[in-house]
Amino acid sequence: MAPQISVEDLSKHYQVHEKDPGLAGSLRAFFARKYKTVKAVDRVTFNIDSGERVGFLGPNGAGKTTTLKVLSGLLYPTSGATRVMGFTPHKREAAYLRRFTLVMGQKQQLLWDLPAIETFLINQAIYEISKADFEATLKELDQLLELGPLLRKQVRKLSLGERMKCELAAALLHRPQVLFLDEPTIGLDVTMQVRIRDFVAEYNARYGATVILTSHYMADVTALCSRLIVIDKGRLLYDGDFKALIERMAPYKIIKLQLPHPLPEGRLAAFGEVQSSEGLNAVLRIPRARATETAARILSEIEVDDVTFEDPPVEDIIRDVFAGGLIPTEKTP
Amino acid sequence: MRYLRLMGLFLKSSLLVELEYRVNFLAQGFLGVLYAGVSIASILLFFSQSNRLGGWTLDEALIIVGLFTIFDGLMECIVLPNIKRLVENIRNGAFDFTLLKPINSQFLSTLRYARLHGLTDMAVGAVVIITAVGRIGYRPNLADLFGFGLTFGMACLIIYSIQLAMATTAFWFVKVDNFTEAFRAVYDTARFPVSAFRGGLRIALTFVAPIAFMTTVPAQAVLGRLDAGLVLGSLGFGLGLFAASAALWRYAIRSYSSASS
């Protein structure tokens, strides 16, 4: 079966005008604009199957949003082919527009001066959702998101988190099969981030909808997505399993020791690379393959109060990927 | 049919917004009446010095003032609020949501919002026209009324199309407030019969900016002075400008999606 979303050799370039600082620069730019081509997306290829949850990771300006906009038909690709559910997105056929949704954490579609329910009713009419379907969907979304009284409050009086819940509901009333979520948790506090995350996971499990999520909060991606696509400066750096990335980029484990009395660093170095050793606390980096064996040796050879094993922080790993510790791209079949 | 139902819904939601801000609603309505009063006063002032304006008597000229006021109200009601939102949405990127909806984007961008205080202008305009026609003593027959309906509809289309085309340039220039101001300045000439202007100006107001087809021609229709040429001209300008502005819109959308990031 063809994948639900296929992106082949996609590039999106656009022109921006540049201006030198100051008034003189502005004047020059007013009369003769200098243009520069920006490669927002540069020859990116990937496939996504129905029901997958994929995380797009990359620093600001990496091309995440541009890719999502091409997939939603808002932008024409400069070159390359994209197909979503058998449609060519940039043709923006009504049949396609009815089957996906795009949520942008930084932009809102809710009517500012009215309660969210008014926007919902307008979306109901635009998407031609029958009354029965509309009520059923709204009831389910209400359960999952606990919208309750929020629906009747003017949008401008809602908190950022409450507004995001309503935005999500407004974007899901037509029961899209594909969800493009662009920074849906931006600016939210940790509790609300977790709520939104749980909701997306639940929605995906319940309806089998495909989710592509961009975020620069690592936790969003690690909690939600088993598959990761890392892009930077428009290029695809990694596409594949989240665990596999960690094993490849970080072929070591961190062992933290709590000692009953201080030990000389030389004694610890016998087990592995010492990352830090301060008084009674020591941190060692041990190659993954020898981690268990080394731990056994530590326990038998020296006296310890406590031992913990950890994977290196995901942030560090991703930073290594961006810093050019590039691993060959794992193609999905 | 679906589009009509949607328009009903849009109107309802706009009404709800207006009612949220009661004081503003009343103040704007009052201002509308005030502006209409100024238009009428300026014509009365002119006729206190003279009894003809470009061949039109006071009562005939008042029909034009009435039409001018009605269109003013229509612009306040529908055209301007939508254009304002459109330009704002293009600038802050919320226009993306319009493009994502499975519905004609021009319809959704130009008829989505309504400000109801313009209704007071329309009511004042209608009263002025009915009073003036009554004072003239001419009873428009069925054909006159039909001609009036047609030329009035075309006048609406002309105003809509010109403003749409101006707003569409926002896709390239982003800030276009000046354009709507410029249209406003030209439109102000529509409060006088086009025959009051001489030479090149009159030609410009007929063929370059078809002001004549907005107020003068429908006023002639109600007075039974319509001829085939005027009907054709009105149809030509109305449908032609609409087609051209819709084509410009489609072109702008295409370049929006290929140019932005």
Side-chain angles (χ1 to χ4, degrees):
Chain A
M1 212 180 80
Q4 191 178 36
I5 300 174
S6 79
V7 172
E8 218 184 301
D9 220 12
L10 171 71
S11 292
K12 173 70 191 174
H13 302 172
Y14 60 94
Q15 302 216 308
V16 289
H17 65 260
E18 293 184 309
K19 132 180 154 44
D20 300 326
L23 182 63
S26 290
L27 276 174
R28 255 200 305 283
F30 186 85
F31 291 108
R33 290 210 158 160
K34 271 191 293 184
Y35 288 95
K36 182 177 113 179
T37 302
V38 174
K39 292 182 176 177
V41 178
D42 192 15
R43 310 199 60 181
V44 164
T45 298
F46 59 83
N47 290 318
I48 293 173
D49 285 322
S50 168
E52 273 196 89
R53 294 191 302 214
V54 179
F56 263 40
L57 213 55
N60 290 331
K64 301 175 303 238
T65 304
T66 308
T67 309
L68 285 193
K69 281 185 163 185
V70 171
L71 286 175
S72 4
L74 289 173
L75 297 179
Y76 280 52
T78 307
S79 65
T82 47
R83 303 281 287 173
V84 183
M85 296 180 280
F87 294 94
T88 303
H90 65 85
K91 287 187 183 155
R92 275 210 310 276
E93 293 158 82
Y96 176 54
L97 297 177
R98 281 170 201 280
R99 290 173 68 179
F100 75 92
T101 202
L102 170 67
V103 175
M104 294 177 275
Q106 320 215 49
K107 294 175 189 173
Q108 64 158 28
Q109 65 161 326
L110 296 171
L111 296 167
W112 189 243
D113 294 310
L114 293 178
I117 187 76
E118 299 297 334
T119 307
F120 292 5
L121 288 169
I122 284 177
N123 279 0
Q124 180 201 356
I126 289 178
Y127 284 99
E128 298 176 287
I129 305 166
S130 76
K131 197 165 163 25
D133 282 349
F134 176 76
E135 276 165 10
T137 310
L138 189 57
K139 209 172 133 196
E140 284 173 39
L141 290 173
D142 183 16
Q143 266 173 17
L144 290 173
L145 286 166
E146 292 167 24
L147 299 171
L150 304 183
L151 289 182
R152 321 242 156 233
K153 247 166 80 176
Q154 287 158 312
V155 171
R156 68 191 158 92
K157 291 184 183 155
L158 297 177
S159 74
L160 192 60
E162 292 172 333
R163 215 161 69 208
M164 199 58 222
K165 284 190 192 177
C166 294
E167 279 287 333
L168 275 169
L172 294 173
L173 286 170
H174 60 289
R175 295 212 184 219
Q177 288 153 274
V178 173
L179 275 58
F180 299 125
L181 308 177
D182 189 21
E183 306 270 3
T185 54
I186 199 158
L188 302 183
D189 64 38
V190 179
T191 330
M192 195 50 89
Q193 278 181 29
V194 173
R195 288 294 316 276
I196 301 285
R197 220 178 278 159
D198 289 348
F199 167 74
V200 175
E202 177 67 28
Y203 189 90
N204 161 270
R206 233 188 235 201
Y207 305 110
T210 310
V211 177
I212 300 187
L213 173 99
T214 78
S215 180
H216 53 244
Y217 296 121
M218 201 66 61
D220 277 347
V221 178
T222 49
L224 264 176
C225 309
S226 54
R227 179 171 162 199
L228 195 65
I229 291 180
V230 182
I231 42 179
D232 187 24
K233 302 189 186 86
R235 314 279 308 239
L236 194 140
L237 296 187
Y238 178 82
D239 175 4
D241 194 36
F242 197 61
K243 280 208 194 90
L245 176 71
I246 294 181
E247 278 164 24
R248 267 157 95 167
M249 284 307 290
Y252 55 85
K253 287 235 173 202
I254 305 279
I255 300 185
K256 287 186 178 165
L257 301 174
Q258 185 139 47
L259 307 165
H261 39 75
L263 277 179
E265 233 186 88
R267 181 75 191 87
L268 293 170
F271 301 108
E273 182 193 334
V274 181
Q275 263 199 324
S276 72
S277 163
E278 270 173 48
L280 299 178
N281 293 305
V283 181
L284 304 179
R285 261 165 74 132
I286 314 284
R288 192 174 285 273
R290 285 194 312 175
T292 328
E293 173 210 338
T294 311
R297 264 180 59 214
I298 292 175
L299 290 174
S300 62
E301 290 177 24
I302 57 175
E303 216 179 318
V304 290
D305 279 351
D306 196 15
V307 186
T308 49
F309 282 92
E310 277 172 22
D311 277 315
V314 186
E315 278 84 354
D316 292 356
I317 297 176
I318 300 294
R319 204 180 308 127
D320 287 350
V321 175
F322 292 145
L326 173 57
I327 13 125
T329 301
E330 194 181 271
K331 291 265 182 205
T332 37
Chain B
M1 202 40 228
R2 171 181 172 218
Y3 282 69
L4 275 181
R5 228 167 42 102
L6 272 171
M7 275 172 77
L9 203 59
F10 291 162
L11 208 61
K12 192 193 114 197
S13 102
S14 302
L15 178 64
L16 291 180
V17 175
E18 298 269 287
L19 294 177
E20 284 288 325
Y21 304 101
R22 282 179 301 182
V23 176
N24 187 49
F25 180 65
L26 293 174
Q28 297 270 15
F30 173 72
L31 269 180
V33 176
L34 200 68
Y35 282 134
V38 170
S39 284
I40 296 167
S42 69
I43 281 287
L44 290 178
L45 191 69
F46 178 88
F47 277 94
S48 69
Q49 306 291 321
S50 160
N51 52 16
R52 292 267 155 168
L53 174 59
W56 292 61
T57 66
L58 171 63
D59 288 322
E60 290 165 355
L62 277 177
I63 298 177
I64 288 179
V65 171
L67 283 163
F68 174 82
T69 311
I70 288 182
F71 290 133
D72 219 14
L74 266 175
M75 279 192 267
E76 284 291 327
C77 265
I78 297 170
V79 182
L80 295 175
N82 284 292
I83 284 177
K84 212 177 130 230
R85 289 285 187 134
L86 175 64
V87 173
E88 211 174 284
N89 286 345
I90 291 172
R91 193 154 48 181
N92 68 26
F95 183 72
D96 288 344
F97 287 114
T98 305
L99 284 184
L100 288 174
K101 297 284 189 291
I103 192 172
N104 183 297
S105 61
Q106 184 186 332
F107 169 78
L108 192 56
S109 306
T110 54
L111 298 172
R112 172 65 191 78
Y113 299 97
R115 304 285 313 271
L116 302 180
H117 59 78
L119 284 175
T120 52
D121 295 64
M122 290 195 250
V124 170
V127 169
V128 170
I129 293 174
I130 292 165
T131 314
V133 172
R135 276 165 50 115
I136 291 166
Y138 176 77
R139 289 276 154 269
N141 58 33
L142 217 56
D144 293 338
L145 289 179
F146 179 76
F148 174 75
L150 187 78
T151 50
F152 183 86
M154 288 301 132
C156 292
L157 213 52
I158 291 170
I159 291 174
Y160 169 87
S161 304
I162 292 178
Q163 301 251 35
L164 170 66
M166 287 179 162
T168 304
T169 59
F171 285 104
W172 293 283
F173 307 131
V174 184
K175 278 197 92 151
V176 294
D177 312 6
N178 301 333
F179 288 0
T180 38
E181 289 296 316
F183 176 75
R184 204 45 253 195
V186 177
Y187 175 71
D188 269 339
T189 61
R191 72 176 84 206
F192 306 111
V194 76
S195 52
F197 301 96
R198 309 222 166 270
L201 193 54
R202 186 194 299 185
I203 293 169
L205 289 179
T206 309
F207 298 107
V208 184
I211 294 290
F213 290 100
M214 292 178 198
T215 50
T216 308
V217 173
Q220 279 172 299
V222 86
L223 293 169
R225 298 179 197 156
L226 206 57
D227 59 43
L230 289 177
V231 173
L232 283 179
S234 172
L235 277 171
F237 269 109
L239 301 177
L241 284 174
F242 180 69
S245 66
L248 181 67
W249 174 265
R250 283 194 300 274
Y251 176 71
I253 298 290
R254 244 198 332 271
S255 80
Y256 173 83
S257 6
S258 51
S260 59
S261 60

